[in-house]
Amino acid sequence: CLNTMGKECTRCGSNEVDTTDDGRVVCVTCGLVLEEQNIVSEVSFIEGANGSSSTTGHFVSSITPSKSFRGLPGYSRESREITIEGGRKQIMSVASALKLKPHHGEAAQRLFMLAVQHNFIQGRKTQNVVAACLYIVCRREKTPHMLIDFSDVLQTNVYVLGHTFLRFCRLLNLQLPIIDPSLYIQRFAAKLEFEEKTNAVANTALKLVQRMKRDWIQTGRRPSGICGAGLLIASRLHGFRRTQREIVQVVRICDVTLRKRLNEFAQTPTCNLTQEEFETMDLEEECDPPAFTRAKIREENEAAKKARMIQHNDKDFLAEIESYCAIEDAKEQRIRDGIVDEDEEEVDGGPS
């Protein structure tokens, strides 16, 4: 409808102006936009045909949201804000318990906002989503924190946290960097109480981890097992008698995993070096991945087993032939001695 408020076009001077549905005031004659995004703080009223009064315009506020969010019944924007506020408090609490920096918590809050917008928190505990957001930040910033640390703080199953973390990464299509075991060496070495030799043991363990990486032992393995094997060997090199049980309790792995990493390292040429040679020399050769080596040994064993079976079958066949030949020789001897006629048919047990 045409405006009757007395506005004039600043370009052509026409009084024929109109208000569009999106709130813009335009000149009908020349098309000039006179006003747009008209948001006022006062409330105006108009009188209807029957004498009733009603407000004009739409009420817009950044504080009081609308009654629905994403069209979901029973899920209001106010409940979303309550969820965001609760998540923010939990993020700050967990970040404080793990001694994370403030910017880590802020980055986790932004990820939590994305989780809320994608309805990822529905059907999941808020603390699990919070732990996933913080762990993603720790992986990006390469801090020495593991998922089991969040499990200890929240008293939650680590596999449940891992499931939530993987689902959230797939939802946002996140590409996180691979964990470097070197990040945790200093932390674990401090817990093993090497006293004044802590740095020396940690440096030796770092060299061992780098050597394991070149020998393909690190690839596809969790960092805890690599760190445990490196620290155990480094402690022995520096004269500390740390048992496998002590290493397992610190790095939080199974003793079988630790023994596997040690056995894999024992198959490399570096294992044959002395401490002085290991500190001064740097072998250029690289070993094959342990999985490839095991598959190769398995194929060689199967080939040897088949060869033994063929050899055993040949021996049985030769023995059968020798038995048949002995029976034939005895028959010919009886024929020569006149015991059996040559044309007489005799049934003998020959080879089948």
Side-chain angles (χ1 to χ4, degrees), residues 104 107-108 110-111 114 133-143 172-177:
H104 294 154
R110 291 191 290 269
L111 289 173
L114 291 176
C133 295
L134 282 171
Y135 183 63
I136 290 174
V137 175
C138 292
R139 287 282 296 271
R140 285 177 170 176
E141 299 291 334
K142 297 184 178 180
T143 63
L172 300 181
N173 194 21
L174 297 177
Q175 300 294 331
L176 299 178

Side-chain angles (χ1 to χ4, degrees), residues 321-333:
I321 293 177
E322 290 176 356
S323 176
Y324 178 76
C325 292
I327 293 173
E328 291 295 325
D329 292 341
K331 182 179 178 180
E332 292 178 0
Q333 184 65 33

Side-chain angles (χ1 to χ4, degrees), residues 120-190:
F120 185 74
I121 62 173
Q122 291 186 356
R124 296 180 175 87
K125 292 184 178 180
T126 304
Q127 63 177 7
N128 295 346
V129 181
V130 164
C133 295
L134 282 171
Y135 183 63
I136 290 174
V137 175
C138 292
R139 287 282 296 271
R140 285 177 170 176
E141 299 291 334
K142 297 184 178 180
T143 63
H145 293 87
M146 298 185 298
L147 195 60
I148 198 171
D149 298 329
F150 296 91
S151 175
D152 293 338
V153 173
L154 299 175
Q155 294 298 305
T156 308
N157 191 329
V158 66
Y159 294 102
V160 176
L161 294 182
H163 179 73
T164 305
F165 162 72
L166 292 177
R167 284 293 185 89
F168 191 45
C169 289
R170 294 194 188 107
L171 175 66
L172 300 181
N173 194 21
L174 297 177
Q175 300 294 331
L176 299 178
I178 300 176
I179 302 176
D180 186 3
S182 303
L183 299 174
Y184 308 100
I185 290 294
Q186 194 68 34
R187 167 188 169 182
F188 293 147

Side-chain angles (χ1 to χ4, degrees), residues 68-104:
S68 63
F69 173 63
R70 287 185 175 271
L72 297 175
Y75 191 80
S76 64
R77 194 181 296 267
E78 293 181 358
S79 65
R80 185 191 69 158
E81 293 176 354
I82 293 174
T83 303
I84 293 175
E85 181 64 21
R88 186 188 66 82
K89 291 181 180 179
Q90 291 194 31
I91 287 174
M92 300 307 295
S93 176
V94 176
S96 177
L98 294 176
K99 298 180 180 179
L100 295 173
K101 296 181 180 180
H103 71 274
H104 294 154

Side-chain angles (χ1 to χ4, degrees), residues 285-300:
E285 60 178 334
E286 297 181 0
C287 295
D288 295 326
F292 177 81
T293 304
R294 285 196 300 269
K296 186 177 181 181
I297 294 175
R298 190 183 305 113
E299 292 177 356
E300 293 176 353

Side-chain angles (χ1 to χ4, degrees), residues 23 39 44 91 111 198 229 281 284 330:
I39 300 177
S44 59
I91 287 174
L111 289 173
T198 300
M281 295 177 57
E284 296 182 358

Side-chain angles (χ1 to χ4, degrees), residues 34-85:
L34 302 178
E35 296 178 0
E36 60 181 347
Q37 298 180 352
N38 293 326
I39 300 177
V40 295
S41 58
E42 68 270 7
V43 181
S44 59
F45 299 89
I46 59 174
E47 184 177 356
N50 57 357
S52 61
S53 299
S54 61
T55 59
T56 60
H58 298 279
F59 180 71
V60 179
S61 174
S62 60
I63 301 175
T64 305
S66 59
K67 295 297 182 182
S68 63
F69 173 63
R70 287 185 175 271
L72 297 175
Y75 191 80
S76 64
R77 194 181 296 267
E78 293 181 358
S79 65
R80 185 191 69 158
E81 293 176 354
I82 293 174
T83 303
I84 293 175
E85 181 64 21

